[in-house]
Each structure stands twice: as structure tokens, then as C-alpha cells.
Amino acid sequence: MATLTVPQEVPSPTQDSETLRKAFKGWGTDEKAVIQVLGHRNATQRKIIRDTYQKLYNQSLIDSLDSELSGDFGRAVILWTYDPAERDARLVNKALKSKNKSLDKLKVVIEISCASSPHHLLAVRKCYCSLFECSIEEDIIVNAPPSVRKILVGLVSSFRFDGAVVDLDVADDEASKLQEAVKLKQLDQDIVMWILSTRNVFQLKATFESYHKKYGILLHEDIKDYSDDLLVSLVTIVIKCIISPERHFVEVIKAATDGWGTDEDALTRVIISRAEIDLIKVKKAYFDIHKTSLDKLVKDETSGDYGAFLIALLGQ
Amino acid sequence: MATLTVPQEVPSPTQDSETLRKAFKGWGTDEKAVIQVLGHRNATQRKIIRDTYQKLYNQSLIDSLDSELSGDFGRAVILWTYDPAERDARLVNKALKSKNKSLDKLKVVIEISCASSPHHLLAVRKCYCSLFECSIEEDIIVNAPPSVRKILVGLVSSFRFDGAVVDLDVADDEASKLQEAVKLKQLDQDIVMWILSTRNVFQLKATFESYHKKYGILLHEDIKDYSDDLLVSLVTIVIKCIISPERHFVEVIKAATDGWGTDEDALTRVIISRAEIDLIKVKKAYFDIHKTSLDKLVKDETSGDYGAFLIALLGQ
């Protein structure tokens, strides 16, 4: 389900490092060469290139990229070059430390908790501790708005069973518990947090289906008219990320590109974080919903090396 | 700090497997040979022996031990032979699924959450999911008494920063927050659970010291006369495991061996789970407190192969 394309014959990590070093030499940078190499290597290959580059030139590849590239292109290439767990740990840290703790910022915490594999989430938590000398949970408790601390701590701490084991009685029972919380307008109940953060994805889908069947309305529709409260919006994104990550990411892309201007950070985040996971599904969902291709949208909304890099990751 | 002794020249895994196979052959079992091999190999060596035995005889070593050994000895050798993460996942599962959810049973969940390394706790969670097709958290929510669910879920979900980073202002502030909860007799507040389950061990020790300094009483003494409520007892064990795991384990051993009879399960659990971590410290703490050696106690309280096995793990 990845869109990333890797050439059939991949140059050796030493050759790739040399190509990159050459691209950085002299006045200006050969951005095309950077895209040609890094835009067509998977996470394992990029890791070996990082290690080889460090050994050959006694300098970190990330530092070289940082001093050679700039703007949206630089940010995108650097994010892509990090190990995926480090990339996500840095994205979470940036979201939690930003002055503006809007839903748009906190969204990344939910995506990493609910639209990643449980093993990836653990790798992100480990990496976060190494980089920032504290746990993600500690930074959530200090930095996130009070109303959403509990659910966010629960979500990032989760280690869901990674298989399709579903108990329909449990789904039925937990749909009722969710309805009770919804009726009381108490989405911050422990039980809501526990259901959303500990159950496996297949079990949760069954619970949401049971909710729909029993109460004639989708859970995220049922909480919609509460108010535009942050907790409600956040729970809505949790539900969407569980039901269909690809549709959630289509919404993020749509919001990032609608109207005047483009939210490059959001567009970059989606394409980079999903290019090796399910970007084909995101592209398909985008086409199904908007009847035009995601590639065309990205071409229209971006330009220059930044656009070319995203298009490379989209598989063209 | 391990008591386990490994011979200077270790036989090959094949030789060890053959010795074990020979010990199982014919009528009866050569228990001494089992102790001689398994009682003197570390976790990595035991893993290789398990793999080699499986390859050589197309049978799991655990299954062989299970059919050859019995009683306390059999249970102890099997626990010791498991991979440490699998052993602890099984101990947690047994505690959560036992009919009697007393503090004595739930203690093991706290020990694994608060007296293990953060990386070991993650390994236990992964193993639990593989073995039981659900997360530890899900089993806590379904099986643990309501009053302690929140704190137990928080503790097992934690991934504390594994270093000595301490902020004394935070310690001072969180000591006040704990005091507020203690005054209100509300140990189930989210903030109490967050402090105990997300802060690193060094930070927590500073917080407990600050509490002592500011309020003239140790935190676990301050909650003592609440009642003998399960939550209070559980929080007390959390605090003890954070301040000094070895003293906590001395208390467990003392309780297991005091009066008539011996709680072999508890004694086995402590010796097996700490033999490769800090059993030397436990022995020292036992001597400091009780002015007699732990080895002597174990010799007095146990007998036969079971006693000989524990004594081997104690480093004699």
C-alpha cells in the first residue's frame, strides 16, 4: 500500500552518500539529485545511507541537509530522512510545545496513536524519551489543554492487540457504555478513554457498528452538536482514524489545500508519514471522494523542488 | 547486582540440551542435573538452550520440564526457563485471572510496572498481547476491582524516562498536589495516577522527599490510617517499589515465610524475578533488617530439589 518507488537496481549506500555529498558541493545545491536519491529509498535504506554518510564524512546527513536546503522543501526532505520513529517523536514534541495548542496541532498525537501500528507507537515513545529526556505523557500533562489530557495520555500509552479478535458481546456492551456517556455529555469518563485507547482496532470498529445499529446514528455524528469543544473534536478524529485512516488523511489534505494558500506542514506530514504505509489507499479515497487525483492536487498546490519531492513520494 | 552464578566455561547449548534430555530419560528425573544446567545459565543462555532443545528433539523444553517435574520445584524451574518477558506476562495474567483479586495477587502487576526497567515493561506488554490476544490494560479493566483499575492501567501503560533527570520545582509542586489528594482522601484523582505512573523514578524519589520535608511525614505513612482500603495498600506498594525495590521484596519474602507454612509462589517469584537484577541488594537489605541471611531463611523454609534450586539462584 506504499506509493514510494525504489529503483530495481539500487546504488550502494556509499554511492548514494557520494551522490548526496556531490549535490551539496560548491555554490547552490543539486536538489534534483537529492530527490533522486532520498525520494526513492525506503526507511531501511535511508537509515543505512545516514550511517554511511556519517562514517564517510564525519558529519550527520541531517545536519548537511539542514545547512543546504531551506523552506518547505528542506523541512520535507529532513522529515523524510529521519528514522520514522524519530520523525514522529519530533512531530509530537513540536505539536505539544507549540504555543497554539489547537486541534490542528494535537491531531498529530492522535494520528500517531490511532493510525500507526502499536509497535511503531512504542518506538516513537522510546525515541521521545531518548531525545527529550521525558515521556510523551509527561509533556502532554504539562502542555495539553486540561480537557483533553486524559484522553491523550490514554491514547499515547496504549498498546493495542494487533489482530482481528472481535467479541460482539463486548462490542454491544461498550456501545451502550459509550451511549450513556454521550447522553450525559461526559466524554471525559474513564470508561470512554479506556474503550478508545485499549481495544484493538477491529473490536472498536465492531463497537462503532453496534452503536450505529442500536441508536440509528454514527457515534461521531451523535457527539457532533455538543458544541465545538476541543474534546469532542478530538474524539471525532480518534473515531475517524480508527474507522478509516485514509479518509481521515484525505480530510487533512483537503483542509490543508482548501481556500487561499496551502498548509504545507500538514500536506508534508500526511505524504511523508503515509508514503510507506497506505498512501495508495489515501490516493484512492481522495479520488473516490473528490473525483480528481491527489497527484493533480499536489501539482496545483505546490511548486519547485518541494512539489517535485512530494510528487516523487506519491509514486510518480 | 545479580546473584546468579554462571560457570567460567559454559558447555555448548547442544551439550546442555543433551544433559537435560538425559536427565529426563527413563524412570524418574535427574533433578540435580536440571539444577546444574538451568540454575546456572543467564536469560540469553537459557533462550539459546530452549531453541537448541527444540531443534534437536522437536519438542519444547518447557513442555518437557512440565511433564517431568512437579510441585513447587517444577513451577519454579519452568518460570525460570521462560524468557523473562514471557514469565512476567504469564504471572500478570495469572494474577488478573485468579478468582481472588487480593492485594497479594495484584502486587505482581505493580512490581512489573514499578520495579522493572521501562524497556522490560514494554517487552512484557508485547508478550502479553502475543500470548493472550489482548492487552494487559484490557484484562485489568475487566478483571481488577473498580477502585484500582485506573491506577493499574496507568502503571502498566507507563514508559518512564530511564535516567536521573530531576526538577526540584516539579518535585515541590507535585508533593503539594499529592498532599491535596491525601487531605481530600482522593487517591483516585487523575493527577495522583499521572504523577505515579509517568514520572521517572529519580523525579518521584525527589517528590517523596519533598513531601517528607514539607509535611513532616512520609507519603506512605500519611495515607496509612485511611482504612485498609485496597487502593491505599496498592499505592503504598507503588511508593515502596519506587523508593527501594529491594526493601519491598524483603517485605514480600518476610510475609511469605512468617508464621505457619510458606507461600512458595511468592518466594519463588521474588527469587526468580530478581536473581538476574538485584538479588544481591535484596539479600543485603534482608540481612540489614533481620540480622540473619536470606540464604539461611530459604534453607529453613524450603526443602528438597525446590530448596536446592532457589539456593542455586541465590548464588551459593
PDB file of all heavy atoms in Angstrom, chain B residues 270-290:
ATOM      1  N   VAL B 270       9.864 -13.862  43.834  1.00  0.00           N
ATOM      2  CA  VAL B 270      10.891 -12.874  44.170  1.00  0.00           C
ATOM      3  C   VAL B 270      12.265 -13.367  43.732  1.00  0.00           C
ATOM      4  O   VAL B 270      13.007 -12.660  43.041  1.00  0.00           O
ATOM      5  CB  VAL B 270      10.900 -12.564  45.680  1.00  0.00           C
ATOM      6  CG1 VAL B 270      12.095 -11.669  46.027  1.00  0.00           C
ATOM      7  CG2 VAL B 270       9.597 -11.908  46.099  1.00  0.00           C
ATOM      8  N   ILE B 271      12.599 -14.595  44.096  1.00  0.00           N
ATOM      9  CA  ILE B 271      13.960 -15.072  43.808  1.00  0.00           C
ATOM     10  C   ILE B 271      14.187 -15.200  42.308  1.00  0.00           C
ATOM     11  O   ILE B 271      15.214 -14.769  41.778  1.00  0.00           O
ATOM     12  CB  ILE B 271      14.239 -16.386  44.568  1.00  0.00           C
ATOM     13  CG1 ILE B 271      14.269 -16.042  46.072  1.00  0.00           C
ATOM     14  CG2 ILE B 271      15.542 -17.038  44.111  1.00  0.00           C
ATOM     15  CD1 ILE B 271      14.537 -17.192  46.983  1.00  0.00           C
ATOM     16  N   ILE B 272      13.195 -15.737  41.615  1.00  0.00           N
ATOM     17  CA  ILE B 272      13.364 -15.924  40.169  1.00  0.00           C
ATOM     18  C   ILE B 272      13.377 -14.604  39.413  1.00  0.00           C
ATOM     19  O   ILE B 272      14.188 -14.397  38.518  1.00  0.00           O
ATOM     20  CB  ILE B 272      12.277 -16.885  39.651  1.00  0.00           C
ATOM     21  CG1 ILE B 272      12.729 -18.291  40.000  1.00  0.00           C
ATOM     22  CG2 ILE B 272      12.040 -16.726  38.154  1.00  0.00           C
ATOM     23  CD1 ILE B 272      11.819 -19.366  39.599  1.00  0.00           C
ATOM     24  N   SER B 273      12.502 -13.688  39.824  1.00  0.00           N
ATOM     25  CA  SER B 273      12.432 -12.459  39.025  1.00  0.00           C
ATOM     26  C   SER B 273      13.563 -11.488  39.354  1.00  0.00           C
ATOM     27  O   SER B 273      13.860 -10.606  38.562  1.00  0.00           O
ATOM     28  CB  SER B 273      11.059 -11.782  39.160  1.00  0.00           C
ATOM     29  OG  SER B 273      10.868 -11.370  40.482  1.00  0.00           O
ATOM     30  N   ARG B 274      14.203 -11.636  40.485  1.00  0.00           N
ATOM     31  CA  ARG B 274      15.274 -10.691  40.838  1.00  0.00           C
ATOM     32  C   ARG B 274      16.676 -11.296  40.732  1.00  0.00           C
ATOM     33  O   ARG B 274      17.662 -10.558  40.863  1.00  0.00           O
ATOM     34  CB  ARG B 274      15.062 -10.145  42.260  1.00  0.00           C
ATOM     35  CG  ARG B 274      13.682  -9.598  42.554  1.00  0.00           C
ATOM     36  CD  ARG B 274      13.148  -8.633  41.529  1.00  0.00           C
ATOM     37  NE  ARG B 274      13.792  -7.320  41.513  1.00  0.00           N
ATOM     38  CZ  ARG B 274      13.342  -6.294  40.821  1.00  0.00           C
ATOM     39  NH1 ARG B 274      12.254  -6.410  40.047  1.00  0.00           N
ATOM     40  NH2 ARG B 274      13.980  -5.143  40.842  1.00  0.00           N
ATOM     41  N   ALA B 275      16.789 -12.624  40.498  1.00  0.00           N
ATOM     42  CA  ALA B 275      18.111 -13.273  40.511  1.00  0.00           C
ATOM     43  C   ALA B 275      19.073 -12.676  39.495  1.00  0.00           C
ATOM     44  O   ALA B 275      20.289 -12.694  39.696  1.00  0.00           O
ATOM     45  CB  ALA B 275      17.967 -14.775  40.268  1.00  0.00           C
ATOM     46  N   GLU B 276      18.520 -12.133  38.407  1.00  0.00           N
ATOM     47  CA  GLU B 276      19.403 -11.537  37.402  1.00  0.00           C
ATOM     48  C   GLU B 276      19.361 -10.013  37.446  1.00  0.00           C
ATOM     49  O   GLU B 276      19.857  -9.350  36.545  1.00  0.00           O
ATOM     50  CB  GLU B 276      19.007 -12.029  36.012  1.00  0.00           C
ATOM     51  CG  GLU B 276      19.377 -13.487  35.817  1.00  0.00           C
ATOM     52  CD  GLU B 276      19.022 -13.978  34.433  1.00  0.00           C
ATOM     53  OE1 GLU B 276      17.851 -14.354  34.239  1.00  0.00           O
ATOM     54  OE2 GLU B 276      19.888 -13.989  33.563  1.00  0.00           O
ATOM     55  N   ILE B 277      18.716  -9.463  38.485  1.00  0.00           N
ATOM     56  CA  ILE B 277      18.600  -7.992  38.544  1.00  0.00           C
ATOM     57  C   ILE B 277      19.287  -7.447  39.792  1.00  0.00           C
ATOM     58  O   ILE B 277      20.334  -6.818  39.703  1.00  0.00           O
ATOM     59  CB  ILE B 277      17.115  -7.555  38.498  1.00  0.00           C
ATOM     60  CG1 ILE B 277      16.461  -8.064  37.208  1.00  0.00           C
ATOM     61  CG2 ILE B 277      17.003  -6.037  38.588  1.00  0.00           C
ATOM     62  CD1 ILE B 277      15.003  -7.739  37.076  1.00  0.00           C
ATOM     63  N   ASP B 278      18.698  -7.706  40.954  1.00  0.00           N
ATOM     64  CA  ASP B 278      19.203  -7.039  42.163  1.00  0.00           C
ATOM     65  C   ASP B 278      19.097  -7.923  43.412  1.00  0.00           C
ATOM     66  O   ASP B 278      18.948  -7.412  44.519  1.00  0.00           O
ATOM     67  CB  ASP B 278      18.439  -5.727  42.398  1.00  0.00           C
ATOM     68  CG  ASP B 278      16.941  -5.952  42.534  1.00  0.00           C
ATOM     69  OD1 ASP B 278      16.488  -7.120  42.435  1.00  0.00           O
ATOM     70  OD2 ASP B 278      16.203  -4.977  42.739  1.00  0.00           O
ATOM     71  N   LEU B 279      19.199  -9.250  43.225  1.00  0.00           N
ATOM     72  CA  LEU B 279      19.014 -10.130  44.386  1.00  0.00           C
ATOM     73  C   LEU B 279      20.135  -9.938  45.430  1.00  0.00           C
ATOM     74  O   LEU B 279      19.907 -10.168  46.626  1.00  0.00           O
ATOM     75  CB  LEU B 279      18.894 -11.593  43.932  1.00  0.00           C
ATOM     76  CG  LEU B 279      18.228 -12.570  44.909  1.00  0.00           C
ATOM     77  CD1 LEU B 279      16.918 -12.040  45.472  1.00  0.00           C
ATOM     78  CD2 LEU B 279      17.985 -13.927  44.254  1.00  0.00           C
ATOM     79  N   ILE B 280      21.290  -9.494  44.997  1.00  0.00           N
ATOM     80  CA  ILE B 280      22.358  -9.193  45.971  1.00  0.00           C
ATOM     81  C   ILE B 280      21.887  -8.066  46.898  1.00  0.00           C
ATOM     82  O   ILE B 280      22.064  -8.138  48.125  1.00  0.00           O
ATOM     83  CB  ILE B 280      23.671  -8.784  45.248  1.00  0.00           C
ATOM     84  CG1 ILE B 280      24.318 -10.031  44.651  1.00  0.00           C
ATOM     85  CG2 ILE B 280      24.641  -8.098  46.227  1.00  0.00           C
ATOM     86  CD1 ILE B 280      25.676  -9.791  44.018  1.00  0.00           C
ATOM     87  N   LYS B 281      21.260  -7.056  46.317  1.00  0.00           N
ATOM     88  CA  LYS B 281      20.735  -5.945  47.131  1.00  0.00           C
ATOM     89  C   LYS B 281      19.627  -6.429  48.066  1.00  0.00           C
ATOM     90  O   LYS B 281      19.516  -5.987  49.208  1.00  0.00           O
ATOM     91  CB  LYS B 281      20.163  -4.849  46.223  1.00  0.00           C
ATOM     92  CG  LYS B 281      21.190  -3.898  45.637  1.00  0.00           C
ATOM     93  CD  LYS B 281      20.480  -2.988  44.649  1.00  0.00           C
ATOM     94  CE  LYS B 281      20.987  -1.583  44.654  1.00  0.00           C
ATOM     95  NZ  LYS B 281      20.230  -0.762  43.675  1.00  0.00           N
ATOM     96  N   VAL B 282      18.773  -7.332  47.555  1.00  0.00           N
ATOM     97  CA  VAL B 282      17.697  -7.875  48.385  1.00  0.00           C
ATOM     98  C   VAL B 282      18.308  -8.639  49.565  1.00  0.00           C
ATOM     99  O   VAL B 282      17.871  -8.497  50.709  1.00  0.00           O
ATOM    100  CB  VAL B 282      16.761  -8.802  47.560  1.00  0.00           C
ATOM    101  CG1 VAL B 282      15.673  -9.419  48.443  1.00  0.00           C
ATOM    102  CG2 VAL B 282      16.117  -8.036  46.397  1.00  0.00           C
ATOM    103  N   LYS B 283      19.330  -9.438  49.278  1.00  0.00           N
ATOM    104  CA  LYS B 283      19.997 -10.202  50.347  1.00  0.00           C
ATOM    105  C   LYS B 283      20.590  -9.255  51.394  1.00  0.00           C
ATOM    106  O   LYS B 283      20.466  -9.477  52.604  1.00  0.00           O
ATOM    107  CB  LYS B 283      21.114 -11.080  49.751  1.00  0.00           C
ATOM    108  CG  LYS B 283      20.594 -12.330  49.064  1.00  0.00           C
ATOM    109  CD  LYS B 283      21.670 -13.049  48.272  1.00  0.00           C
ATOM    110  CE  LYS B 283      22.544 -13.927  49.145  1.00  0.00           C
ATOM    111  NZ  LYS B 283      23.347 -14.888  48.324  1.00  0.00           N
ATOM    112  N   LYS B 284      21.231  -8.199  50.918  1.00  0.00           N
ATOM    113  CA  LYS B 284      21.860  -7.237  51.830  1.00  0.00           C
ATOM    114  C   LYS B 284      20.765  -6.553  52.685  1.00  0.00           C
ATOM    115  O   LYS B 284      20.903  -6.429  53.913  1.00  0.00           O
ATOM    116  CB  LYS B 284      22.641  -6.205  51.014  1.00  0.00           C
ATOM    117  CG  LYS B 284      23.516  -5.327  51.900  1.00  0.00           C
ATOM    118  CD  LYS B 284      24.284  -4.295  51.124  1.00  0.00           C
ATOM    119  CE  LYS B 284      24.943  -3.289  52.098  1.00  0.00           C
ATOM    120  NZ  LYS B 284      24.035  -2.657  53.057  1.00  0.00           N
ATOM    121  N   ALA B 285      19.694  -6.129  52.023  1.00  0.00           N
ATOM    122  CA  ALA B 285      18.613  -5.456  52.761  1.00  0.00           C
ATOM    123  C   ALA B 285      18.000  -6.419  53.776  1.00  0.00           C
ATOM    124  O   ALA B 285      17.676  -6.035  54.910  1.00  0.00           O
ATOM    125  CB  ALA B 285      17.541  -4.958  51.779  1.00  0.00           C
ATOM    126  N   TYR B 286      17.872  -7.693  53.380  1.00  0.00           N
ATOM    127  CA  TYR B 286      17.302  -8.688  54.303  1.00  0.00           C
ATOM    128  C   TYR B 286      18.188  -8.808  55.542  1.00  0.00           C
ATOM    129  O   TYR B 286      17.704  -8.823  56.675  1.00  0.00           O
ATOM    130  CB  TYR B 286      17.155 -10.058  53.612  1.00  0.00           C
ATOM    131  CG  TYR B 286      16.370 -11.020  54.459  1.00  0.00           C
ATOM    132  CD1 TYR B 286      14.983 -11.093  54.333  1.00  0.00           C
ATOM    133  CD2 TYR B 286      16.977 -11.808  55.424  1.00  0.00           C
ATOM    134  CE1 TYR B 286      14.237 -11.932  55.134  1.00  0.00           C
ATOM    135  CE2 TYR B 286      16.248 -12.648  56.244  1.00  0.00           C
ATOM    136  CZ  TYR B 286      14.877 -12.710  56.091  1.00  0.00           C
ATOM    137  OH  TYR B 286      14.135 -13.526  56.903  1.00  0.00           O
ATOM    138  N   PHE B 287      19.471  -8.875  55.302  1.00  0.00           N
ATOM    139  CA  PHE B 287      20.400  -9.004  56.436  1.00  0.00           C
ATOM    140  C   PHE B 287      20.352  -7.755  57.316  1.00  0.00           C
ATOM    141  O   PHE B 287      20.310  -7.845  58.546  1.00  0.00           O
ATOM    142  CB  PHE B 287      21.828  -9.256  55.935  1.00  0.00           C
ATOM    143  CG  PHE B 287      22.757  -9.621  57.057  1.00  0.00           C
ATOM    144  CD1 PHE B 287      22.840 -10.944  57.502  1.00  0.00           C
ATOM    145  CD2 PHE B 287      23.507  -8.648  57.714  1.00  0.00           C
ATOM    146  CE1 PHE B 287      23.665 -11.281  58.573  1.00  0.00           C
ATOM    147  CE2 PHE B 287      24.333  -8.979  58.787  1.00  0.00           C
ATOM    148  CZ  PHE B 287      24.414 -10.295  59.215  1.00  0.00           C
ATOM    149  N   ASP B 288      20.349  -6.585  56.698  1.00  0.00           N
ATOM    150  CA  ASP B 288      20.310  -5.323  57.460  1.00  0.00           C
ATOM    151  C   ASP B 288      19.072  -5.255  58.351  1.00  0.00           C
ATOM    152  O   ASP B 288      19.126  -4.793  59.491  1.00  0.00           O
ATOM    153  CB  ASP B 288      20.297  -4.121  56.513  1.00  0.00           C
ATOM    154  CG  ASP B 288      21.639  -3.933  55.814  1.00  0.00           C
ATOM    155  OD1 ASP B 288      22.620  -4.577  56.247  1.00  0.00           O
ATOM    156  OD2 ASP B 288      21.699  -3.178  54.821  1.00  0.00           O
ATOM    157  N   ILE B 289      17.960  -5.720  57.819  1.00  0.00           N
ATOM    158  CA  ILE B 289      16.703  -5.600  58.564  1.00  0.00           C
ATOM    159  C   ILE B 289      16.543  -6.728  59.584  1.00  0.00           C
ATOM    160  O   ILE B 289      16.161  -6.490  60.721  1.00  0.00           O
ATOM    161  CB  ILE B 289      15.497  -5.574  57.588  1.00  0.00           C
ATOM    162  CG1 ILE B 289      15.589  -4.342  56.687  1.00  0.00           C
ATOM    163  CG2 ILE B 289      14.159  -5.583  58.342  1.00  0.00           C
ATOM    164  CD1 ILE B 289      14.671  -4.362  55.483  1.00  0.00           C
ATOM    165  N   HIS B 290      16.860  -7.953  59.163  1.00  0.00           N
ATOM    166  CA  HIS B 290      16.531  -9.097  60.023  1.00  0.00           C
ATOM    167  C   HIS B 290      17.740  -9.741  60.711  1.00  0.00           C
ATOM    168  O   HIS B 290      17.582 -10.717  61.444  1.00  0.00           O
ATOM    169  CB  HIS B 290      15.748 -10.143  59.218  1.00  0.00           C
ATOM    170  CG  HIS B 290      14.461  -9.593  58.681  1.00  0.00           C
ATOM    171  ND1 HIS B 290      13.437  -9.180  59.500  1.00  0.00           N
ATOM    172  CD2 HIS B 290      14.047  -9.335  57.411  1.00  0.00           C
ATOM    173  CE1 HIS B 290      12.443  -8.710  58.755  1.00  0.00           C
ATOM    174  NE2 HIS B 290      12.785  -8.790  57.490  1.00  0.00           N
TER     175      HIS B 290
END
